[in-house]
């Protein structure tokens, strides 16, 4: 059994503690939170688990083999680094850190010590995203043309990060999971409509060398909650509505074909194909439970996690570039130049 210490028992920490407690390969041995009320809740819900106030106390417990970090984003780096230096494996909430420099340090530390470093990009482990990745990877969709996501709701407004770092991070991680292609340019426009708060709405666009375009619409001030993504390919198209209780994914055999003289654009004829629609059967397993099983298996076997530290680093690099574009009024950032510079 892998002994788990959970740092942070506020919004997400209870979910981590519950799933680690249900995993056959792990057991929760300690939970740390500076707030006494949170520690009292943890003690009531997890009898026999030690509730402590600090990360230092968590790391002093020899039963702790791995640490799950569920603190605010600005408080990810220091405890993650401390855990790695103490020889513990680490699962850290998304995004991994607030800067690529910090993320790189965590990746290097984990590699140097032979430890598992994994980022909680939960959507990568949802049955829907895993099915989409399977369809794309198997060639069912054809060449990807676009990824168009709307991820909006009313709240929860954050005080330390913008809506891009809070919501768009999910789509960046999903793109990591469904295609190996990396974007070559990114542009973002955003606005804040609440005083003393980061940007509350944003539009992020990513361009890929293949011609694929990804567009992400995120908003904390929408009257309704929408989680809808359209994925277009040369063969088929996907509609993914994550709020649907069933048939979350629908695959459409629709598209266009061009016939005629390809050397003379005005003689090309556009044909429209409208075939069947089907909804693939999806597993009913909880994404977080799947992710925690994966984390435990990677610790036991030494294999690289699907959402490892490098994946987390790449997502943070995109978030930084989006932030830089926002500060310049939406000017596209050439990511190929930034990669060469790094």
């Amino acid at each position: 059994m892998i002994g788990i210490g959970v740092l942070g028992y506020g919004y997400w920490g209870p979910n981590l503690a519950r799933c680690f407690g249900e995993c056959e390969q792990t057991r929760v041995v300690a939970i740390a939170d500076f707030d006494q009320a949170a520690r009292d809740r943890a003690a009531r819900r997890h009898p026999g688990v030690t509730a402590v106030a600090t990360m230092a106390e968590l790391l002093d417990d020899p039963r702790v083999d791995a640490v799950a970090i569920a603190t605010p984003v600005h408080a990810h780096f220091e405890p993650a680094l401390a855990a790695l230096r103490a020889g513990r494996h680490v699962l850290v909430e998304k995004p991994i850190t607030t800067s690529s420099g910090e993320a790189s340090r965590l990746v290097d530390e984990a590699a140097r010590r032979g430890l598992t470093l994994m980022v909680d990009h939960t959507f990568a482990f949802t049955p829907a995203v895993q099915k989409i990745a399977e369809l794309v990877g198997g060639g069912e969709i054809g060449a990807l043309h676009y990824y168009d996501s709307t991820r909006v709701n009313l709240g929860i407004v954050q005080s330390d990060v913008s809506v891009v770092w809070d919501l768009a991070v999910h789509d960046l991680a999903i793109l990591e999971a469904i295609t190996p292609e990396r974007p070559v340019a990114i542009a973002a426009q955003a606005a804040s409509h609440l005083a003393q708060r980061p940007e509350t709405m944003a539009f992020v666009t990513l361009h890929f060398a293949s011609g694929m375009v990804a567009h992400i619409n995120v908003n904390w001030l929408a009257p309704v909650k929408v989680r809808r993504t359209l994925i277009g390919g040369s063969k088929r198209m996907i509609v993914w509505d994550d709020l649907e209780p069933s048939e979350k994914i629908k695959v459409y055999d629709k598209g266009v074909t061009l016939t005629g003289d390809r050397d003379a654009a005005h003689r090309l004829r556009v044909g429209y194909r409208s075939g069947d629609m089907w909804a693939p059967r999806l597993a009913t397993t909880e994404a977080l439970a799947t992710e925690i099983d994966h984390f435990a298996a990677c610790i036991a076997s030494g294999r690289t996690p699907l959402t490892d530290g490098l994946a987390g680093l790449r997502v943070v690099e995109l978030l930084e570039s989006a932030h830089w574009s926002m500060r310049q009024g939406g000017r596209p950032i050439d990511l190929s130049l930034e990669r060469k510079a790094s």
Side-chain angles (χ1 to χ4, degrees), residues 5-17 20 67-77 79-80 89-99 102-103 106 117-125 158 160-161 165-167 169-170 173 288 291-292 295 307-309 311-313 315-316 319:
V6 177
L7 177 65
Y9 200 77
Y11 172 69
W12 196 242
N15 294 321
L16 288 169
F20 273 117
V67 177
I69 298 172
T71 57
V73 180
H74 68 270
H76 284 180
F77 173 68
H89 306 282
V90 172
L91 172 67
V92 61
E93 245 292 84
K94 59 82 186 171
I96 184 172
T97 56
T98 57
S99 74
E102 291 178 342
L106 294 184
L117 173 63
M118 181 168 160
V119 190
D120 182 12
H121 289 159
T122 314
F123 271 100
F125 296 90
Q158 307 289 333
D160 59 338
V161 293
W165 284 75
D166 181 51
L167 292 183
V169 61
H170 291 305
L288 186 57
E291 178 182 46
I292 283 173
F295 179 57
T307 57
D308 66 348
L313 169 60
V315 168
V316 169
L319 291 169

Side-chain angles (χ1 to χ4, degrees), residues 4 36 44 49 68 78-79 89 99 103 116 120 135 140 156 158-159 169 185 222 238 242 245 287 302 324 327 329 340:
I4 303 294
Q36 180 64 55
R44 287 195 305 271
V49 170
E78 291 295 343
H89 306 282
S99 74
T116 298
D120 182 12
L135 292 170
E140 295 287 330
I156 304 171
Q158 307 289 333
S159 60
V169 61
I238 296 174
D242 199 45
W324 182 235
R327 292 293 173 267
K340 290 177 182 177

Side-chain angles (χ1 to χ4, degrees), residues 262-279:
R262 294 184 176 271
D263 294 326
H266 65 280
R267 285 200 292 269
L268 280 174
R269 292 186 296 277
V270 179
Y272 298 92
R273 185 184 74 260
S274 184
D276 294 334
M277 180 281 290
W278 75 93

Side-chain angles (χ1 to χ4, degrees), residues 207-246:
H207 296 270
F208 296 77
S210 65
M212 174 183 160
V213 175
H215 181 259
I216 303 167
N217 170 17
V218 287
N219 193 340
W220 281 330
L221 300 181
V224 294
K225 184 174 183 177
V226 180
R227 297 289 187 270
R228 188 176 174 89
T229 302
L230 307 178
I231 300 173
S234 58
K235 294 181 179 179
R236 295 178 179 86
M237 302 176 181
I238 296 174
V239 177
W240 169 30
D241 190 336
D242 199 45
L243 300 185
E244 277 286 332
S246 62

Side-chain angles (χ1 to χ4, degrees), residues 175-226:
L175 285 165
E176 270 269 333
I178 67 174
T179 175
E181 188 178 11
R182 308 295 175 217
V184 296
I186 188 170
Q189 294 179 307
S192 176
H193 298 101
L194 297 176
Q196 308 301 317
R197 284 291 185 272
E199 290 81 1
T200 54
M201 64 170 293
F203 302 100
V204 181
T205 304
L206 300 98
H207 296 270
F208 296 77
S210 65
M212 174 183 160
V213 175
H215 181 259
I216 303 167
N217 170 17
V218 287
N219 193 340
W220 281 330
L221 300 181
V224 294
K225 184 174 183 177
V226 180

Side-chain angles (χ1 to χ4, degrees), residues 106-184:
L106 294 184
V107 169
D108 291 343
E109 190 72 24
R112 187 168 67 86
R113 296 179 180 272
L115 295 168
T116 298
L117 173 63
M118 181 168 160
V119 190
D120 182 12
H121 289 159
T122 314
F123 271 100
F125 296 90
T126 59
V129 171
Q130 291 183 334
K131 175 57 70 173
I132 292 171
E134 178 186 321
L135 292 170
V136 171
E140 295 287 330
I141 309 304
L144 291 181
H145 291 333
Y146 62 82
Y147 173 100
D148 189 359
S149 170
T150 301
R151 193 175 298 275
V152 303
N153 49 261
L154 190 60
I156 304 171
V157 175
Q158 307 289 333
S159 60
D160 59 338
V161 293
S162 73
V163 69
V164 173
W165 284 75
D166 181 51
L167 292 183
V169 61
H170 291 305
D171 290 290
L172 299 179
I174 290 166
L175 285 165
E176 270 269 333
I178 67 174
T179 175
E181 188 178 11
R182 308 295 175 217
V184 296

